[in-house]
Amino acid sequence: MFEFFYKVLTSIGYTHPIHAPTTHLPVGMVIGAFLFVLGAYLLNRSTLALTANHCILLALIGLFPTVLFGYMDWQHYYAGAWVFPIKMKIGLAVLLLILLIIALYFGRKAEKVSTGVLLIYGLCLLNVTALGYFGGELVYGSKRPGKAVEAQKVQVSGDMFNKTCKTCHPGGGNVFKANFPLTSAPQLANFDTFLVYIRNPKARDDSQSIMPAFPADKLSEQQAKEIYQYVVQVLKKQ
């Protein structure tokens, strides 16, 4: 759905995710808001509290395009894979929206910064810190060997599935036979069975399937293995 957008970006030389740079607006504004509200709390300065509230407003506005670009990058680079950091980022983004609305409301109403208002701003700061952490986990993995490689493999496998299978099997389903989704196919019992099937697809009555064959010159064994691993390790666990 967003492929045209990314093709345009690629044509002008931009080949990186678009979500990462947009995160600086809400994250930066939340950090600034907390520093200003802390100053207002310690120094009893209403002007600092007003500035903090304006920062929260800008963070709230910037959250929406940031989430949109995050969703687009998730679909494009990770093929919508429900990996753990993605689940955490979605939950934290919803929580951040709620916290920003609360902070905006009470921060504007308060004549003097109370401990409660300071706490709400602090929770916003903790939230964006956690979002940054799970964003780093998604891109780089943890310090344990193999995590970053694993995330990269999910992306590559998802891209291969999108190019080859997504049209007929979106989300692991089945466009033509909804009662027979891909994720419950008996051919997924092991990779060898899967490979034999996609090389020469047969219906259950042994007649020729409507699914096209994928010979080695169209889909290598390694590419088939990437698709198989993505279906088994990602789509079947959704």
Side-chain angles (χ1 to χ4, degrees):
M1 181 167 51
F2 306 112
E3 293 306 309
F4 176 74
F5 176 79
Y6 287 96
K7 286 181 180 178
V8 172
L9 290 180
T10 301
S11 68
I12 61 176
Y14 189 92
T15 57
H16 301 291
I18 193 67
H19 171 69
T22 60
T23 60
H24 289 82
L25 176 56
V27 172
M29 288 296 103
V30 167
I31 294 172
F34 179 78
L35 294 177
F36 280 118
V37 84
L38 180 62
Y41 180 79
L42 296 175
L43 303 175
N44 195 24
R45 297 287 183 85
S46 60
T47 52
L48 294 178
L50 180 62
T51 302
N53 198 251
H54 289 164
C55 288
I56 287 293
L57 177 61
L58 288 174
L60 182 61
I61 294 172
L63 181 64
F64 293 98
T66 302
V67 169
L68 173 61
F69 288 132
Y71 176 79
M72 292 169 61
D73 282 351
W74 174 41
Q75 294 297 317
H76 181 74
Y77 291 102
Y78 292 90
W82 280 100
V83 291
F84 180 71
I86 288 290
K87 296 177 182 179
M88 292 301 298
K89 282 172 68 67
I90 291 174
L92 287 168
V94 173
L95 179 59
L96 179 60
L97 174 63
I98 296 171
L99 288 172
L100 288 176
I101 293 174
I102 294 173
L104 185 66
Y105 178 79
F106 286 102
R108 178 171 294 178
K109 299 272 292 183
E111 295 181 1
K112 181 180 179 181
V113 176
S114 65
T115 304
V117 171
L118 182 64
L119 176 62
I120 294 171
Y121 277 65
L123 290 174
C124 291
L125 180 63
L126 287 175
N127 187 289
V128 296
T129 301
L131 278 166
Y133 172 80
F134 286 107
E137 279 284 297
L138 185 65
V139 177
Y140 301 108
S142 68
K143 294 182 179 179
R144 296 189 303 274
K147 281 289 183 178
V149 175
E150 181 181 342
Q152 186 176 9
K153 284 181 178 179
V154 169
Q155 177 182 333
V156 172
S157 301
D159 288 344
M160 184 56 60
F161 176 86
N162 282 346
K163 293 175 184 177
T164 311
C165 315
K166 186 179 180 180
T167 300
C168 299
H169 299 287
N174 191 324
V175 171
F176 299 101
K177 297 180 180 180
N179 292 332
F180 297 97
L182 169 64
T183 50
S184 64
Q187 292 85 357
L188 295 173
N190 56 66
F191 174 68
D192 291 335
T193 304
F194 174 77
L195 185 63
V196 169
Y197 178 75
I198 64 173
R199 293 296 190 226
N200 186 25
K202 292 287 186 180
R204 296 192 178 189
D205 60 0
D206 205 37
S207 62
Q208 193 64 36
S209 171
I210 61 173
M211 176 177 164
F214 290 92
D217 60 338
K218 288 185 178 181
L219 191 73
S220 70
E221 184 171 334
Q222 176 59 36
Q223 291 171 327
K225 186 172 293 185
E226 290 173 2
I227 293 173
Y228 175 79
Q229 290 174 341
Y230 180 75
V231 173
V232 172
Q233 296 177 7
V234 177
L235 294 182
K236 289 193 70 171
K237 294 181 179 180
Q238 289 186 9

